[in-house]
Amino acid sequence: MGINTDVLRALKYGALKVRGEFVWGSNYTFLAQIEYESLTLKGVYKPNRGERPLWDFPAATLARREVAAFLVSEALGWNLVPPTVYRDHGPLGPGSLQLFVEHDPERHYFNFSDEERQRLRPVVLFDLLINNADRKGSHILLDQQNRLWCIDHGLCFHVEDKLRTVIWDFVGESVPERLCGDLVEFKAHLQNPSDASDGLAAQLAPFLNRSEIRALASRGDRFTEKGFFPAPDPSRRPFPWPQI
């Protein structure tokens, strides 16, 4: 299911007002109201100036990584990430703006049913591809229609292996053929020289540097060649903290 272009336009161009703050995260994150033509939406606004400095990620880049994760999810056709844009101007300066997903905050990975967990294979493969360093249990949502969404992708796309996730349910399993096919198509789209001006690599260029885009392509090669879900790396911590 594709993303409504009216929603993307509203996020990009709509009047933006801060209505509250999410207080449990490491960085400043705000609930926003967006009004655009006949649409009134809720959004999650993450201004650059609210980011806590990190030793391993460049300053003021986390919001851009949020947008890159959305673009990759859309290019794969998996539609896991809520619509996300980068706003050059906002109440607290530049930052990312993501459609707020109405959900029950008490529902998360650690209390999903076995059947619900079986739906997470694309999420695991997505995290491997984008090198997600912070897949907590509460970063996986089920909306009011029981659709699966993934949020909080600021700590992704590092050139070094940073994968930290709570989801290790499928270690050693073969990746489903359909998902492997999506990865192959994604890799071809990312590396297609005929798309140099307006292809996926060009879309990602404002949000990731060249080394990060090359590393993304390399991870795509690695996981299509292996064809199975890997085990945690024993040489480093494979889980985020806190896990929820």
Side-chain angles (χ1 to χ4, degrees):
M1 180 168 59
I3 295 300
N4 188 320
T5 55
D6 289 340
V7 171
L8 283 174
R9 283 197 295 269
L11 292 171
K12 188 69 176 175
Y13 304 112
L16 175 60
K17 296 181 180 179
V18 170
R19 294 303 191 195
E21 181 182 353
F22 298 99
V23 297
W24 56 82
S26 300
N27 303 305
Y28 284 96
T29 303
F30 300 94
L31 177 67
Q33 179 176 301
I34 305 108
E35 296 196 8
Y36 180 76
E37 296 180 347
S38 62
L39 288 176
T40 298
L41 305 172
K42 292 180 182 178
V44 179
Y45 171 46
K46 297 184 177 182
N48 294 339
R49 63 190 294 187
E51 295 178 8
R52 184 179 65 178
L54 299 169
W55 68 269
D56 52 348
F57 282 83
T61 67
L62 304 193
R64 294 180 184 273
R65 295 170 195 276
E66 296 272 6
V67 183
F70 167 69
L71 293 173
V72 169
S73 171
E74 292 298 290
L76 287 162
W78 297 349
N79 311 123
L80 293 169
V81 181
T84 312
V85 303
Y86 191 81
R87 295 282 295 245
D88 291 316
H89 304 283
L92 297 172
S96 65
L97 181 62
Q98 183 174 90
L99 182 68
F100 177 77
V101 174
E102 299 286 355
H103 65 286
D104 179 356
E106 298 301 318
R107 296 289 313 284
H108 51 71
Y109 168 79
F110 290 104
N111 56 33
F112 281 174
S113 67
D114 290 341
E115 182 179 359
E116 288 165 342
R117 288 194 179 194
Q118 290 301 309
R119 298 169 56 189
L120 298 179
R121 286 176 180 81
V123 178
V124 173
L125 203 55
F126 181 64
D127 286 340
L128 288 166
L129 181 64
I130 67 173
N131 196 15
N132 193 346
D134 194 38
R135 174 62 73 203
K136 295 181 171 66
S138 61
H139 294 175
I140 310 162
L141 314 180
L142 291 172
D143 68 14
Q144 295 173 334
Q145 288 73 47
N146 206 38
R147 177 175 172 177
L148 190 70
W149 295 100
C150 299
I151 62 169
D152 285 333
H153 299 103
L155 300 185
C156 295
F157 299 104
H158 202 286
V159 296
E160 299 175 7
D161 190 3
K162 296 280 186 180
L163 181 68
R164 289 190 290 270
T165 176
V166 297
I167 316 173
W168 295 102
D169 300 56
F170 312 114
V171 169
E173 285 189 14
S174 296
V175 176
E177 185 176 345
R178 176 184 66 82
L179 298 181
C180 279
D182 292 340
L183 265 183
V184 170
E185 290 186 16
F186 170 83
K187 181 181 64 174
H189 186 24
L190 183 62
Q191 298 175 323
N192 189 346
S194 66
D195 289 342
S197 62
D198 59 357
L200 180 57
Q203 294 173 37
L204 290 170
F207 309 110
L208 303 175
N209 64 40
R210 291 182 179 178
S211 296
E212 290 165 340
I213 295 174
R214 285 196 297 267
L216 173 64
S218 178
R219 287 191 296 271
D221 288 335
R222 187 194 322 166
F223 297 121
T224 51
E225 289 169 3
K226 287 185 175 180
F228 61 87
F229 291 100
D233 185 340
S235 67
R236 59 179 187 78
R237 177 168 61 88
F239 297 99
W241 188 260
Q243 293 188 20
I244 295 181

